[in-house]
Amino acid sequence: MNTSTENRKSKRFEHKATVMIEDEAGGYICYGQMVNYSSGGMCIGSDTIYNRDTPINIKFAEALYKAAPKTYHGKVRWCKELVRGDVEYYYSVGVK
């Protein structure tokens, strides 16, 4: 029996990494920080707000692991404003 409050298909792995986010439609580029990832996507901290289904490219300075690519293509699934305090970014962005 799963007592977790989240219904996820795959395990999430915490990993902090600086990323460059490119909005494919507008060509806008900004920096952010990946917070965690799973086989279904990743969560990124950003100062830029994104609309659902925005196609983006995510570029890492270093690959997550040896055989992994440095660039990923995905779509924004959600974007939530973070409560200011000791958080570094304004938004949490879920990418699939």
Side-chain angles (χ1 to χ4, degrees), residues 6-83:
E6 295 185 35
N7 294 320
R8 298 200 173 267
K9 293 181 181 178
S10 57
K11 182 177 176 172
R12 225 190 296 192
F13 300 96
E14 291 191 28
H15 184 83
K16 306 282 187 221
T18 300
V19 296
M20 188 167 55
I21 307 164
E22 177 185 17
D23 178 339
E24 287 183 4
Y28 180 76
I29 296 175
C30 69
Y31 285 94
Q33 183 179 55
M34 183 180 74
V35 178
N36 62 53
Y37 68 96
S38 71
S39 63
M42 62 183 75
C43 179
I44 298 172
S46 173
D47 284 335
T48 302
I49 190 169
Y50 292 95
N51 292 321
R52 182 178 169 84
D53 292 329
T54 299
I56 60 174
N57 291 315
I58 302 159
K59 299 176 184 179
F60 291 82
E62 295 183 27
L64 292 173
Y65 49 92
K66 191 174 181 177
K70 288 186 178 181
T71 302
Y72 293 84
H73 171 78
K75 281 191 176 182
V76 174
R77 302 313 293 160
W78 49 263
C79 185
K80 299 176 184 176
E81 188 171 6
L82 295 171
V83 177

